[in-house]
Amino acid sequence: MIKATLVLEGGATRGVFTSGALDYLMERDVYLSYVIGVSAGSCNGVDYVSKQIGRTRDCMIHKEKEYSYYYGFTKFVREKSILDMDMVFEKYPKEIFPFDFDTYFASETDCEIVTTNCETGKAEYMTEKEDPERLMKLCRASSSLPLVSPMVNIDGVPYLDGGLADSVPLGRAFRKGNEKIVVILTRNPGYRKKPVKKVLAKMYKRAYRSYPELVNTTLRRNAKYNWQMEQVERLEREGKIYVLRPLIPTVSRLEKDYDMLMNFYEHGYCLMKREYDGLMRFLEN
């Protein structure tokens, strides 16, 4: 166990890059003491803490139609979700790709899952060390994309995708006190988010008119994200954090193509392998 913090950005299926990088670290038996996962990064994070090499990859990349978690248009209208979240967070961990709850709960690694509180519009950093159902519900909330997934109720409070309020929780990582921080991003170097388009802004305002703070957070997301990227790049130049990010064109956040996803996963694996010695020097110095 290395005393350091691991920050994992989300990005839906772009998260396969992260799963490749983490699979290499797990093969080398490298585990950091604290993990913060956002959206798809939360799914990668819990699989890292449970020490399940390949699990996130297998959940996200497959050819078998019966394992698909994408709804067609008819089901989307009925379920109000583009993704079958029951498949991902109930059937997968219990039946198809079993999650090792025992190893997760016994781990000395602290794992925080970032969610967005729909009532306050603020990020919350949530943990669970005993209840399997609640752990999967936290991951589900963290990964529930606005407009295309329903809110997730936890302890009487509605939550959505953690990336809305804190896409790259570097501030949270510094507040935890570890001197060493490793950040895995899912966007290319220099990426910046564009402002929300007017038509999309209207959709947010209409869909979440009962949650004005959530709307405000969503509309400000690009500005906060771009500020976070400037912070990441400055701290990286100063040698204060270690950053791994994809160096090939990224996949779309709802990519379905098996070969494209596998290529992006393998890129994450090979890039971590290439950067491994440099990462170890950073962690040990």
Side-chain angles (χ1 to χ4, degrees), residues 205-272:
K205 291 176 181 178
R206 187 181 304 116
Y208 303 121
R209 56 186 175 275
S210 299
Y211 302 93
E213 295 303 325
L214 174 65
V215 174
N216 291 337
T217 294
T218 302
L219 298 183
R220 293 195 300 260
R221 184 185 183 189
N222 75 295
K224 181 171 183 178
Y225 182 88
N226 294 343
W227 176 82
Q228 288 179 323
M229 286 302 100
E230 291 172 4
Q231 185 184 35
V232 165
E233 291 166 2
R234 176 179 60 81
L235 293 169
E236 182 183 19
R237 288 194 301 270
E238 295 172 356
K240 295 180 179 178
I241 63 174
Y242 197 95
V243 182
L244 190 79
R245 54 170 71 80
L247 302 179
I248 64 173
T250 65
V251 298
S252 68
R253 70 174 185 171
L254 293 177
E255 183 59 63
K256 299 179 183 179
D257 185 270
Y258 177 88
D259 292 330
M260 291 183 68
L261 290 170
M262 279 302 300
N263 183 58
F264 203 46
Y265 164 84
E266 289 168 359
H267 177 58
Y269 181 94
C270 292
L271 193 57
M272 180 57 82

Side-chain angles (χ1 to χ4, degrees), residues 38-39 113-126 138 141-144 146 151-152 154 157-167 211 213-218 221 224:
V38 184
S39 193
I113 296 166
V114 185
T115 60
T116 298
N117 183 314
C118 297
E119 295 177 347
T120 66
K122 296 181 179 180
E124 292 189 12
Y125 310 91
M126 309 176 81
L138 294 182
S142 182
S143 305
S144 290
M151 295 177 178
V152 178
I154 302 172
V157 179
Y159 291 90
L160 277 176
D161 189 339
L164 297 175
D166 200 353
S167 296
Y211 302 93
E213 295 303 325
L214 174 65
V215 174
N216 291 337
T217 294
T218 302
R221 184 185 183 189
K224 181 171 183 178

